[in-house]
Amino acid sequence: PGMKGEKGSRGETGLRGTPGVPGAQGSPGVKGSNGAPGLQGLQGNKGEPGAMGTVLVISGSRGLQGEKGSKGSPGQKDSVDARINGGGSRGRAEVFYNDQWGTICDDSWDITDATVFCRMVGFERATMVFTAGGGTGKIWLDDLKCTGTESSIFRCTSNGMGVNNCGHSEDAGVNCV
């Protein structure tokens, strides 16, 4: 074999061939990620005001008047109050009724009665009861029977105001805390 010859010049472009048969469709590609949100649009023009609504109020006829109620019992017209005579939280238990200070008899006077009395004069409870004696004026209360829930000593009596069988040597005493 002889020596290799020099490269020849490029030939002319040939005629275009007939297109081939199309290939089969490929499988779909992977879905891309969502794009960034777009800018907010401009605010639109204000709309026309709506038509005024209609308010319809229908009231019923007035009902018949009810029957008149029965008459209540008369209210307490006399002023009432309480104090510890002797000052402070210990002394003779006294009450104010019909514009007059008076005492409480110690018959049936117990720690429950005394606790109701102590609450009336601003204390929490009674710690002791005793016979104080030496009062003057009316003996307003006797034979008290408090349950301990009363708001006033005047709600505990069973005899009535001023009804008693006592003398002032039997005046009730109390120690409150």
Side-chain angles (χ1 to χ4, degrees):
M3 259 181 140
K4 191 171 183 179
E6 290 186 29
K7 186 172 183 179
S9 59
R10 186 176 180 133
E12 290 185 30
T13 305
L15 296 176
R16 186 173 182 120
T18 59
V21 178
Q25 183 174 353
S27 57
V30 178
K31 182 177 179 180
S33 60
N34 290 339
L39 298 175
Q40 182 173 354
L42 298 174
Q43 184 172 352
N45 294 334
K46 188 172 181 179
E48 294 291 321
M52 180 72 126
T54 304
V55 177
L56 181 61
V57 177
I58 300 174
S59 59
S61 59
R62 187 176 177 138
L64 299 174
Q65 184 173 350
E67 293 181 27
K68 185 176 181 179
S70 60
K71 183 176 181 179
S73 61
Q76 178 71 40
K77 295 179 184 174
D78 302 315
S79 65
V80 293
D81 207 352
R83 70 181 179 193
I84 299 175
N85 189 315
S89 60
R90 178 182 168 84
R92 187 173 47 252
E94 296 186 352
V95 293
F96 190 72
Y97 182 78
N98 272 353
D99 295 324
Q100 183 179 356
W101 283 103
T103 60
I104 301 171
C105 182
D106 69 356
D107 293 350
S108 302
W109 178 248
D110 63 16
I111 202 76
T112 304
D113 303 329
T115 292
V116 172
F117 177 86
C118 287
R119 285 197 310 257
M120 275 183 75
V121 295
F123 291 94
E124 184 181 332
R125 62 186 170 85
T127 58
M128 182 172 46
V129 295
F130 54 92
T131 301
T136 58
K138 292 285 282 184
I139 299 173
W140 285 121
L141 299 169
D142 186 17
D143 295 323
L144 294 175
K145 292 176 176 49
C146 295
T147 63
T149 60
E150 297 86 356
S151 60
S152 169
I153 198 79
F154 296 99
R155 298 183 184 273
C156 302
T157 185
S158 60
N159 294 340
M161 294 302 293
V163 178
N164 67 81
N165 59 354
C166 303
H168 283 295
S169 63
E170 300 173 85
D171 289 339
V174 64
N175 190 66
C176 301
V177 292

